Amino acid sequence: MAERIACLPGDGIGPEVMAEALRVLATLPVDVEVVELPFGGAAIDVSGEPLPPETLAACREAAAVLLGAVGGPRWEGRAVRPEGGLLELRQALDVYANLRPAVHGDVDVLVVRELVGGLYFGERGVRDDGTVFDTCEYHPSQVERVARRAFELAQARSRRLVSVDKANVLETSRLWRRVVSDLASEYPDVELRHALVDSFAIEVALTPETLDVVVTENMFGDILSDLASGVAGGLGLAASASLGDSGPGIFEPVHGSAPDIAGAGTANPAAMIRSLALALEHALGRRDLAEAVGAAVDHARLAAPTPDQGGAATTTEFGDAVLASLEHRLTTEERTWATTPS
Ligand code: NAD
Ligand code: IPM
Ligand code: MN
C-alpha cells in the first residue's frame, strides 16, 4: 500500500522550493501518495487559522510531513500568526528531536535541538503593570529524551557530544546539565563536553570542523543552527528532520519563507530537497535513495548554483540539475543491480 506524505508548502518561497522536492519525489522508485494541505499564512487567508483541523488530521495519519516554510510581512502584527501553526504542529506530533545537519567541506556538525519545550512553550502573558513575559520551562523527562537521542546519534558518528546551555545563569540550564551528565555513564563510549552558549557560538563560527554532535534546548538550538548553516554554505542548503518516538516526523528546511526573494524564482531548493532525503531515510527507511538524492543535490550545487551560492541558476534549473543527476544515478544503480549475480 502507498505511504502517504502530507505536503505543506506554506508561504513565501515555501511553495517554490516544495515544487522541486515533489518533482524529485515523483521520479523515485517509491510507492507514495502525496496529499497537499493548507498551512501557515496561506491557511489563515482561507480559513482564519494557520493549522486547520483537516491539515492536522492528515498530518497525524501520514508517514511523514514535508513542510516548506511559513510567515511573512503580510501576517505580521496580527493576533493569529503563521508561526503559531508551526509550533502547534510540532507540539501535536510531539517531534521533540530536531536534527539539523550542517555539512560542507570539512564541516560535519549535527545540531540536535529540543523542539517542543523551553521558552517557546512556557507560560506567557502581560502583567497589570504592562510587563510582558515568556517563561523558559523544562521537565527533566523532556531533557532526558532528547539527550538520549543525541547520545545515540553520537554513538553512530564520531562519538563526541557537546551539550550547550547557560548553566552559569539559568535554572533550566542547570537542570539540563545535570540530566545530561547523569546519562553519560550509560554511554561510556561517548565523550561528553558541556559548553556555555555564548562562547560556544564562537566555536561554531570559527572552528566548526572540530565539532560533531551538539545537543541543546529549543531557543539556543534555533540560533545555533542558523549559525551552523552559515558556516556550511548558507541557509539555502540547510535541511532538518523533527522526530518523535512514534508517528510521523516533520521534514523541513532550516530557513524561513524568505520574503525578500519570494516570487523571484531564484530560491535555492537544496535545503528542501535535502529535507526530502531525510524523510526518505527516517520515515521510509530508504537510506539508499536518501544518499542518491543527496549526491544529486551536491552535483546540482556545482552544475547549477543559485544566486545565494554565487551562481545565476533559477530554482527550476537547480531542480532540473538534480533530476538529471538522479536519473543517471538511478539508472546506474539499476544497471549494477541487474548485472550483480544473485
Ligand atoms: P529566512 O530564513 O526566511 O531568510 C533569511 C535570509 O536567507 C534572507 O535573505 C533569505 O532570502 C535567505 N534565504 C533563506 N532561504 C533561502 C533559500 N532557500 N534560497 C536562497 N536564499 C534563502 O529568515 P527571516 O527573513 O528571518 O524570516 C522570514 C519569515 O520566515 C519570518 O516570517 C519567519 O517567522 C519565517 N520563518 C519560518 C520558518 C519555518 O517555517 N520553518 C523558519 C524560519 C523563519
Ligand atoms: C525554525 C523557525 C521557527 C522556530 C519559527 C518560524 C517558529 O525559526 O524552524 O528555525 O523558531 O523554530
Ligand atoms: Mn529558526
Side-chain angles (χ1 to χ4, degrees), residues 87 118-126 132-135 137:
L87 300 181
L119 206 44
Y120 281 55
F121 294 95
E123 231 176 90
R124 59 184 55 189
V126 186
V132 179
F133 61 95
D134 298 281
T135 51
E137 298 178 21

Side-chain angles (χ1 to χ4, degrees), residues 39-40 49-51 70 81-91:
F39 184 58
E49 47 191 339
L51 178 61
V70 296
R81 295 188 59 112
E83 292 86 348
L86 181 55
L87 300 181
E88 211 187 310
L89 180 64
R90 288 171 177 172
Q91 190 176 41

Side-chain angles (χ1 to χ4, degrees), residues 90 98 100 113 120 218-219 221-223 225-226 235 253-256:
R90 288 171 177 172
N98 180 213
R100 297 190 155 188
R113 170 190 179 194
Y120 281 55
N218 202 345
M219 183 68 150
D222 179 42
I223 298 164
S225 58
D226 265 38
L235 277 170
V254 171
H255 67 69

Side-chain angles (χ1 to χ4, degrees), residues 66-139:
L66 271 189
L67 201 153
V70 296
R74 185 175 154 72
W75 303 279
E76 265 158 33
R78 298 203 199 165
V80 180
R81 295 188 59 112
E83 292 86 348
L86 181 55
L87 300 181
E88 211 187 310
L89 180 64
R90 288 171 177 172
Q91 190 176 41
L93 300 181
D94 199 24
V95 286
Y96 61 85
N98 180 213
L99 280 44
R100 297 190 155 188
V103 184
H104 191 62
D106 55 0
V107 176
D108 186 358
V109 182
L110 177 62
V111 176
V112 181
R113 170 190 179 194
E114 199 292 327
L115 201 61
V116 293
L119 206 44
Y120 281 55
F121 294 95
E123 231 176 90
R124 59 184 55 189
V126 186
R127 294 205 190 96
D128 291 343
D129 70 352
T131 307
V132 179
F133 61 95
D134 298 281
T135 51
C136 186
E137 298 178 21
Y138 269 109
H139 187 275

